[in-house]
Amino acid sequence: MSPEPCQVAVVGGGLAGIIAAAMLQKNGLKVLLLDENQGLGGQYLRTHPPLPSGGGHFLPRLGAGHMRELAEKGVETVNRAQVLAISPAREILAEEDGQRLFTLRPEAVLLAPGAREKFIPFKGWTLPGVISTGAAQILIKAHGVLPGREMMIAGSGAFIYAVAAEVLANTGRVRAILDHNSLARKIEFAQGVLTMRHKLAEGLGQVARLLLARTPIKNRTRVLEARGDGRLEEVVTTKLDRAGNPLPGSEKTYPCTCLAVGNGFVANLELGQLAGCRLEHNPALGGWIVGVNQEMETSVPGVFAAGEITGVAGAEKSVTEGRLAALCVLHRLGRLSAQAFSDRARPLRKERARQLAFARRFNALHAVPAGIVNSLPDDTIICRCEDITMGEIREAIRGGCRTPLAVKRSARVGMG
């Protein structure tokens, strides 16, 4: 049967979505929460065993508390849900578990779909044994399974260190961390978060674990090639110059059966595109994002957005924006006076500005130097579904293709 009519539809059950849904329901609005996963919480709250009610970092505790609150207040939730269309009039067409279709016409919609990982392909990255850092984290946090007793972790940004720390905390060994960034850039990033107490404590804890395990960290280094007969057996690395070009003669080969790679995150924009929201390109916030105003409203009236979709910056920004978006919806639907809204929104906006400043430092660590892309060999597979190589993409560009869509039509890259 179809869900009951609702006043607000929240799409996405990560931190931003569950915090907003709990606030909206608590203030008397009928809320429907749609999420594509089997359970709420997103990647950040995915844990094995289930998250305890006490102890640990305050954000997981906060998220777990809101998930319990949703259950206690009877917020209707549809898991394994996929939104197929959102009209400018806020009419939603969705499906549940691929089994049934239903439509909604809420007074307001909040988009909170999170982000996904970004990757830079390299020769041999399709071999079994090469996985994403996010996949490694899911195996550990959701299932208590190490993807490999001994691993190498490569890429850029703070997340590769978080995954390495989790591997070590679960009795695994990290043979090395291969980081595209220089030590100077990472020191600059660290200096920028000195006043952010929770992020600083989290980062220091990860560094301490790596130091205690004597995990080698190789700066300005990337994977040149993954090799193996039917599965990963060894990894070839290279040092990089300031432009990201491989330094000839710096190649080294390491035996390796499990390699996790990741190069930051990009916002999940598809829901915003379906709704017709204005998109903005802002590399400092992770690339393409959905634009919002001071009230977290998109260019489509009545459609709001919160979390990584408005700029990649991590869990604390998702919490702040979830709260701010909920206040804006309550004010818009007449559940909060203008004065009360102003008083409660002011500190959240100030906090959001601080977190956006962190986002700029965070995403700077994921910038891809042109030399890394330009140096990819022609036989490097870029599109795994169609086995399209870098050489075929270059040939399409030389043939006159000037947009991603033109390259897709010519070379069939991204057809999946």
Side-chain angles (χ1 to χ4, degrees), residues 19 124 251 403:
I19 283 172
E251 298 85 356
T403 68

Side-chain angles (χ1 to χ4, degrees), residues 152 175-176 178 218 221-228 232-239 249-257:
M152 295 184 76
R175 291 179 58 88
L178 313 175
K218 301 184 180 298
T221 302
R222 78 172 179 91
V223 176
L224 192 64
E225 183 179 355
R227 296 173 178 170
L232 179 65
E233 295 174 354
E234 61 184 25
V235 170
V236 181
T237 70
T238 181
K239 301 292 286 185
S250 66
E251 298 85 356
K252 290 187 178 180
T253 302
Y254 299 88
C256 181
T257 58

Side-chain angles (χ1 to χ4, degrees), residues 40-377:
L40 299 178
Q43 176 75 334
Y44 187 79
L45 297 178
R46 197 190 304 266
T47 58
H48 178 86
L51 196 70
S53 57
H57 195 277
F58 86 102
L59 281 178
R61 294 200 312 272
L62 177 71
H66 279 289
M67 284 195 288
R68 288 192 300 273
E69 188 175 351
L70 291 174
E72 292 167 0
K73 292 186 178 299
V75 174
E76 187 173 9
T77 302
V78 180
N79 292 315
R80 288 185 170 277
Q82 182 177 0
V83 174
L84 304 177
I86 306 176
S87 76
R90 299 185 305 280
E91 186 172 22
I92 297 174
L93 173 65
E95 68 171 14
E96 180 184 6
D97 202 17
Q99 301 296 315
R100 66 183 181 93
L101 293 172
F102 58 90
T103 58
L104 305 166
R105 183 68 182 275
E107 298 175 53
V109 176
L110 174 59
L111 306 179
R116 58 179 177 268
E117 279 192 282
K118 178 174 66 180
F119 305 100
I120 301 173
F122 48 86
K123 192 172 181 179
W125 73 296
T126 58
L127 279 172
V130 180
I131 63 175
S132 73
T133 45
Q137 189 183 62
I138 289 172
L139 285 171
I140 295 170
K141 293 177 70 172
H143 307 290
V145 174
L146 274 173
R149 281 292 169 190
E150 288 195 347
M151 300 176 59
M152 295 184 76
I153 297 178
S156 57
F159 187 59
I160 59 175
Y161 294 90
V163 173
E166 288 194 59
V167 170
L168 295 173
N170 286 271
T171 69
R173 180 185 174 216
V174 179
R175 291 179 58 88
I177 296 175
L178 313 175
D179 193 334
H180 293 181
N181 287 298
S182 65
L183 178 60
R185 172 170 282 189
K186 289 187 287 186
I187 291 174
E188 182 181 353
F189 167 77
Q191 290 173 336
V193 298
L194 287 176
T195 60
M196 305 183 76
R197 181 168 55 89
H198 299 295
K199 292 188 183 298
L200 184 62
E202 186 177 14
L204 289 175
Q206 293 166 3
V207 170
R209 191 177 293 277
L210 295 172
L211 290 175
L212 287 172
R214 297 183 178 179
T215 302
I217 298 174
K218 301 184 180 298
N219 298 312
R220 203 177 279 172
T221 302
R222 78 172 179 91
V223 176
L224 192 64
E225 183 179 355
R227 296 173 178 170
D229 184 10
R231 59 161 298 161
L232 179 65
E233 295 174 354
E234 61 184 25
V235 170
V236 181
T237 70
T238 181
K239 301 292 286 185
L240 302 173
D241 65 15
R242 292 182 181 275
N245 299 301
L247 290 172
S250 66
E251 298 85 356
K252 290 187 178 180
T253 302
Y254 299 88
C256 181
T257 58
C258 185
L259 169 67
V261 293
N263 296 96
F265 304 88
V266 292
N268 289 326
L269 297 174
E270 291 81 1
L271 292 175
Q273 290 175 301
L274 284 174
C277 302
R278 184 187 76 253
L279 304 183
E280 300 174 356
H281 188 258
N282 189 335
L285 298 182
W288 285 101
I289 59 173
V290 169
V292 293
N293 60 19
Q294 281 283 305
E295 295 192 347
M296 305 307 298
E297 189 172 25
T298 71
S299 60
V300 178
V303 177
F304 299 79
E308 307 287 54
I309 190 173
T310 70
V312 177
E316 290 187 33
K317 172 177 166 292
S318 294
V319 170
T320 300
E321 290 192 347
R323 289 170 171 163
L324 183 56
L327 289 177
C328 295
V329 172
L330 289 169
H331 176 52
R332 182 66 57 84
L333 299 186
R335 299 303 177 104
L336 198 61
S337 70
Q339 186 61 53
F341 168 66
S342 178
D343 291 343
R344 294 175 64 181
R346 189 179 301 111
L348 290 174
R349 285 174 176 157
K350 183 177 180 180
E351 183 68 13
R352 180 174 183 257
R354 188 176 68 91
Q355 290 158 355
L356 288 174
F358 166 77
R360 296 180 181 92
R361 301 186 189 98
F362 178 79
N363 289 299
L365 291 178
H366 302 133
V368 181
I372 290 182
V373 177
N374 294 336
S375 65
L376 293 176

